[in-house]
């Protein structure tokens, strides 16, 4: 499957995308598609193949979660530990902590390079072969997005999430500065009023104190959002978020829950926008969210499904869809 997926991606990009010039990003009032961990509904999350496929399916922004290695390298991983997504237990026996888990911060990048990523989709598919998928570094991911933006003529953004900043702080390796340096080195954060990258760069985090640390380190509100779960945030937390960010990434359970209307009202009063998460193969719900004026973007595991839902909303609102030229149409996956 890995070879077939990469072959399809290469074929479509080389044969259909060169010379195309357009931009992703929403017209006013319609949010954009954010590829949640890449095209994670189709390929193993946080792999370069999943990121590339997400671009091909028309995502405007790609989301990598990031953690630090022992030698201070940012790698793309949803978990602090390597157990769920790699064969670390087989390769490094006896290296687990007392809780039985293998933490990325206990391994150097060279050691992590020896691991294979499970050929599986986290939510549904059983583990299969591991051959062909490797842990990617954030720098590799950013370089890939830059190359694909150049090849397709599209603006493609990135929205990394530093995982558990408090854990990294306790381990003596704060994650904020390395992430800022990585983003700024490729122009993905606004510096002195200038944004150099082809697409937007936004830092997202559940830890409000970490979000505030990012702000103190010079990350502007336009490049920051605060993630929240299903529990209604306090008025004080919303005020703190509004002081340093331009938006909030809420769980859909919060928006659709009994306090959802109050939450939306609080967001509007503070001038914040929303980046709700996470959508699976749910075209009806996606259309409903894309129709909400507060929504600046949605996190989706199936970027092509989300893109088509957005197109339908655009067509109803403006009389024609706003599809990025050079996108790959894959009806039903592989």
């Amino acid at each position: 499957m890995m070879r077939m997926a990469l072959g399809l991606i290469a074929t479509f990009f080389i044969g259909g995308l060169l010379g195309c010039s357009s931009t992703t990003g929403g017209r006013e009032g319609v949010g954009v598609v954010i590829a949640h961990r890449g095209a994670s509904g189709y390929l193993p999350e946080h792999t370069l193949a999943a990121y590339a496929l997400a671009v091909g399916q028309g995502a405007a922004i790609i989301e990598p979660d990031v953690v630090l290695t022992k030698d201070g390298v940012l790698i793309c991983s949803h978990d602090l530990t390597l157990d769920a997504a790699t064969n670390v237990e087989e390769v490094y026996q006896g290296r687990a902590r007392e809780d039985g888990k293998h933490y990325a911060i206990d391994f150097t990048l060279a050691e992590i390079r020896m691991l294979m990523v499970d050929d599986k989709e986290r939510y549904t598919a059983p583990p299969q072969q591991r051959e062909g998928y490797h842990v990617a570094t954030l720098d590799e991911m950013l370089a890939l997005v830059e190359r694909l933006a150049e090849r397709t003529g599209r603006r493609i953004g990135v929205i990394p999430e530093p995982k558990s900043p408090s854990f990294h702080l306790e381990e003596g390796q704060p994650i904020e500065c390395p992430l800022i340096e990585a983003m700024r080195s490729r122009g993905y954060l606004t510096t002195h009023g200038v944004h150099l990258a082809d697409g937007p760069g936004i830092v997202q985090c559940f830890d409000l104190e970490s979000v505030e640390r990012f702000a103190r380190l010079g990350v502007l509100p336009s490049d920051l959002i605060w993630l929240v779960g299903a529990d209604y945030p306090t008025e004080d937390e919303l005020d703190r978020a509004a002081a340093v960010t331009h938006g909030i990434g809420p769980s859909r359970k919060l928006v659709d829950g009994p306090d959802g209307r109050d939450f939306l009202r609080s967001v509007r009063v503070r001038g914040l926008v929303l980046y709700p998460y996470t959508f699976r193969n749910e075209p009806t719900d996606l259309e409903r969210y894309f129709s909400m004026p507060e929504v600046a973007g949605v996190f989706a595991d199936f970027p092509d499904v989300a893109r088509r839902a957005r197109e339908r909303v655009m067509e109803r609102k403006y009389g024609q869809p706003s599809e990025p030229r050079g996108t790959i149409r894959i009806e039903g996956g592989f």
Side-chain angles (χ1 to χ4, degrees):
M1 187 180 77
M2 175 65 170
R3 291 187 180 90
M4 180 173 69
L6 290 177
L8 282 170
I9 293 167
T11 300
F12 278 110
F13 273 119
I14 294 172
L17 301 184
L18 292 179
C20 294
S21 60
S22 67
T23 60
T24 55
R27 289 161 111 166
E28 186 176 357
V30 180
V32 298
V33 177
I34 303 171
H36 184 238
R37 311 175 192 174
S40 59
Y42 294 110
L43 293 173
E45 64 187 36
H46 294 312
T47 58
L48 294 180
Y51 297 139
L53 181 57
V55 173
Q57 291 183 334
I61 304 176
I62 314 298
E63 186 230 13
D65 297 316
V66 293
V67 301
L68 281 170
T69 65
K70 185 176 183 178
D71 45 349
V73 179
L74 287 163
I75 60 172
C76 300
S77 172
H78 175 265
D79 303 321
L80 294 174
T81 58
L82 300 166
D83 302 82
T86 75
N87 60 338
V88 65
E89 189 173 2
E90 301 170 13
V91 177
Y92 296 112
Q93 296 182 14
R95 294 281 298 275
R97 292 194 180 188
E98 292 183 358
D99 60 5
K101 297 178 180 180
H102 299 77
Y103 288 79
I105 206 166
D106 294 334
F107 296 83
T108 65
L109 178 61
E111 290 175 319
I112 292 174
R113 292 287 196 199
M114 303 300 294
L115 304 176
M116 294 292 183
V117 175
D118 283 337
D119 182 10
K120 67 180 181 180
E121 205 274 312
R122 176 182 287 260
Y123 299 103
T124 58
Q128 300 173 28
Q129 62 179 1
R130 289 188 170 106
E131 181 182 358
Y133 295 108
H134 297 270
V135 175
T137 67
L138 177 63
D139 190 63
E140 290 170 340
M141 181 270 178
L142 295 177
L144 172 68
V145 170
E146 287 180 352
R147 290 197 300 271
L148 295 180
E150 181 181 357
R151 298 285 292 277
T152 62
R154 287 168 46 203
R155 298 184 68 240
I156 304 166
V158 294
I159 183 167
E161 179 194 342
K163 304 301 292 187
S164 300
S166 59
F167 169 86
H168 285 88
L169 192 60
E170 291 169 0
E171 293 290 318
Q173 289 201 61
I175 197 171
E176 289 87 356
C177 283
L179 180 54
I180 291 173
E181 291 170 6
M183 296 279 282
R184 281 183 174 160
S185 70
R186 294 187 176 274
Y188 279 105
L189 292 179
T190 305
T191 305
H192 304 300
V194 178
H195 207 141
L196 300 178
D198 287 333
I202 302 171
V203 176
Q204 54 166 339
C205 190
F206 280 97
D207 187 332
L208 184 54
E209 291 185 1
S210 179
V211 171
E212 291 171 330
R213 284 197 294 274
F214 277 108
R216 288 195 295 272
L217 290 167
V219 180
L220 300 180
S222 59
D223 298 335
L224 270 176
I225 68 171
W226 177 43
L227 299 174
V228 296
D231 295 330
Y232 191 91
T234 67
E235 294 297 310
D236 177 65
E237 288 173 330
L238 289 170
D239 287 340
R240 288 167 59 191
V244 296
T245 76
H246 75 281
I248 291 178
S251 166
R252 292 166 57 192
K253 294 179 180 178
L254 173 57
V255 179
D256 293 333
D259 296 322
R261 289 190 177 183
D262 290 338
F263 174 69
L264 292 177
R265 189 179 302 111
S266 295
V267 166
R268 285 193 294 267
V269 167
R270 291 171 172 82
L272 297 169
V273 297
L274 295 182
Y275 297 84
Y277 66 89
T278 304
F279 293 83
R280 300 282 290 165
N281 187 356
E282 305 168 275
T284 301
D285 283 347
L286 280 160
E287 287 187 44
R288 177 166 60 89
Y289 270 80
F290 276 127
S291 299
M292 297 170 60
E294 300 90 354
V295 170
V298 301
F299 290 89
D301 292 330
F302 296 81
D304 56 341
V305 175
R307 190 200 74 240
R308 289 193 293 270
R310 181 179 184 273
E311 289 169 11
R312 289 189 288 272
V313 173
M314 292 293 299
E315 190 164 10
R316 288 197 298 269
K317 190 166 186 177
Y318 298 106
Q320 62 181 6
S322 178
E323 175 183 347
R325 293 181 60 203
T327 54
I328 304 171
R329 286 194 175 276
I330 300 178
E331 310 291 341
F334 298 135

